[in-house]
Structure formats: C-alpha cells, structure tokens
C-alpha cells in the first residue's frame, strides 16, 4: 500500500508540474502574441501618421509651389519685356538668359529673385546681353568679396558704365583713385576682376554656401511642381471669370431686377 500511495503522489506531482508548465507556456504565448499584436498596431498607427504627414507635406509643397511659380512667372515676364524693349531679344535669347540665371543661382547660391533685377539693371545700361552677363559675373565676385549686396554692386557698376563713378568708389573695393578719376570703365573692370576673381565660387563652396545652394535647389523643385499645376489653375480661373461670374451676376440681376 505504501508503494502504491507513493506512486500516486508522484504521478499527481508530475501532473501538477505539467499543468503548471502548460499554463505558464500558455501565458507566455499569450503575452508574446499580445506584444506582437501591439507592435503591429503601433507600426500601423505610425504608418498611418507617416502617410498623413506625407500627404500634408505634398499639399503644402503644391500650395507653396504654385505661389512661388506665380511670382516667378511674373518676374520672368518682366525681364522678358525688358530684354525685348532694350535689346530686341528673340524668344531663344530670352530662354537662354533664363537658363543662365537658373544655372548661376544654384552654382553660386544666389536666388533668381536677386539675379533677375541685377541682370535687368545692367542690361538697361549696357544694352547687350553678353556684356550684361559678363558684368553680372563680376558683380557676384565683388559682392562675395566685399560683403556688399548684389544689388549695391550692380547699381555701382551700372552707374559707372553710365559715367557716374561715385557709387563704385563707396563700395570700398580698393580701386585706385587714379582709375576712378580717369573714369575708364574698362580699367575699373580689370581692377575689380583682378582683386575679386573667383570669390563667388569660393563663397558658394563653403558650408554656408552649400546649404544655401541646397535650399535654392529645393525651392526650384517646388517652383517646378507649382509650374506643372499652373495650367490647371489657369483653367479654373478661366471657368470662374468666363462662366461662374457671369452666371452669378445674372442670378443677382434676376433677384434685384438690375443688370450688371
């Protein structure tokens, strides 16, 4: 009997251990499953949030891009008119000037909003596209070397070309007084070219310059997105102006009995 009781107790103990083991395994499995499910839930939420952020960013880029493209289109139209009026530029020449401005902008880290007025101002004085490009390149170097704005340097060069050397002297560019007094513009250009050669490229390749160039490239990408959306915006404005507004006016006239 004692042996039989011992055997029963042993079997019961082993059975209890087995039950506890199975229960523990079940709990561990459930815990692991809960963790996996929670993990996937978090991933799902994160993915949803990321997707919403991407959509919001795309929407903002589209809105900002359209705004930038509208401003850029107006600036291009203004410069194109000056090119036609001052130098009788062809469409091909206008396009070439725009390409040069875009390439220069990214290369030296100066926005096209600064380059177009600079080029336009020089063109009004020299009345020659190639000469305006040459002087703008010099103006960029002088601006980078002196710390003066491109607008200031451009204005000084344009005035000097027109015969007024006072603004050029005030730049502090180290031009010899004899050259200033002689009012020899070619000598001025030679002096500035020697003193400031390559300054714009050096500035563009500093860390600050590279960040500025990257920012400009990003803004140009936004403008490209906006430019692609402009035809749709044009169609919408045409519909509003030609169809919706007259229809609304007719509706108001019907209510008030007045035309217009």
């Amino acid at each position: 009997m004692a042996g039989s009781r011992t055997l029963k107790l042993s079997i019961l103990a082993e059975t209890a251990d087995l039950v506890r083991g199975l229960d523990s395994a079940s709990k561990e499995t459930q815990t692991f499953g809960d963790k996996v499910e929670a993990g996937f839930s978090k991933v799902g939420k994160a993915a949803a949030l990321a997707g919403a952020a991407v959509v919001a960013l795309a929407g903002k880029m589209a809105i900002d891009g359209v705004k930038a493209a509208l401003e850029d289109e107006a600036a291009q139209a203004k410069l194109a008119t000056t090119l036609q009026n001052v130098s009788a530029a062809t469409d091909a020449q206008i396009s070439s000037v725009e390409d040069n401005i875009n390439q220069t902008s990214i290369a030296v880290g100066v926005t096209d909003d600064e380059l177009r007025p600079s080029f336009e101002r020089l063109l009004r004085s020299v009345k020659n596209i190639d000469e305006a490009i040459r002087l703008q390149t010099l103006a960029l170097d002088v601006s980078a070397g002196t710390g003066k704005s491109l607008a200031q340097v451009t204005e000084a060069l344009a005035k000097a070309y027109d015969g007024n050397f006072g603004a050029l002297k005030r730049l502090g560019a180290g031009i010899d007084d004899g050259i200033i007094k002689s009012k020899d513009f070619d000598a001025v250009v030679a002096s500035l070219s020697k003193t400031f050669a390559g300054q714009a490229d050096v500035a563009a390749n500093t860390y600050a310059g590279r960040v500025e160039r990257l920012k400009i490239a990003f803004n140009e990408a936004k403008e490209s997105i906006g430019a692609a959306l402009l035809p749709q915006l044009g169609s919408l404005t045409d519909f509003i102006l030609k169809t919706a507004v007259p229809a609304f006016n007719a509706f108001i006239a019907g209510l008030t009995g007045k035309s217009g």
Side-chain angles (χ1 to χ4, degrees), residues 173-203:
I175 304 172
D176 187 86
D177 284 341
I179 295 176
I180 296 291
K181 289 177 182 177
S182 71
K183 295 191 174 183
D184 185 341
F185 185 76
D186 289 337
V188 165
V189 169
S191 175
L192 291 174
S193 298
K194 182 179 179 181
T195 303
F196 298 102
Q199 289 283 9
D201 286 336
V202 170

Side-chain angles (χ1 to χ4, degrees), residues 24 40 47 57 60 82 91 99 104 123 138 142 148 166 179 230 237 245:
S24 176
F40 277 115
L57 177 61
K60 186 176 187 307
T82 299
D91 289 344
D99 288 342
T104 301
L123 184 69
L138 175 60
V142 175
K148 303 291 185 182
I179 295 176
L230 285 183
T237 54
V245 171

Side-chain angles (χ1 to χ4, degrees), residues 45-59:
K45 289 177 182 178
L49 289 172
V54 168
V55 171
L57 177 61

Side-chain angles (χ1 to χ4, degrees), residues 49-73:
L49 289 172
V54 168
V55 171
L57 177 61
K60 186 176 187 307
M61 284 188 69
I63 293 170
D64 291 348
V66 167
K67 181 181 176 183
L70 287 170
E71 293 172 353
D72 201 57
E73 184 191 34

Side-chain angles (χ1 to χ4, degrees), residues 22-102:
L22 289 172
D23 183 57
S24 176
S26 175
K27 288 179 179 178
E28 288 295 328
T29 302
Q30 288 175 354
T31 302
F32 177 73
D34 291 341
K35 288 179 180 178
V36 171
E37 184 178 354
F40 277 115
S41 175
K42 288 178 181 177
V43 169
K45 289 177 182 178
L49 289 172
V54 168
V55 171
L57 177 61
K60 186 176 187 307
M61 284 188 69
I63 293 170
D64 291 348
V66 167
K67 181 181 176 183
L70 287 170
E71 293 172 353
D72 201 57
E73 184 191 34
Q76 287 184 33
K78 182 176 180 294
L79 177 56
T81 301
T82 299
L83 281 162
Q84 290 169 339
N85 292 344
V86 173
S87 64
T90 64
D91 289 344
Q93 287 175 312
I94 292 170
S95 178
S96 177
V97 168
E98 280 295 335
D99 288 342
N100 180 72
I101 286 173
N102 290 332

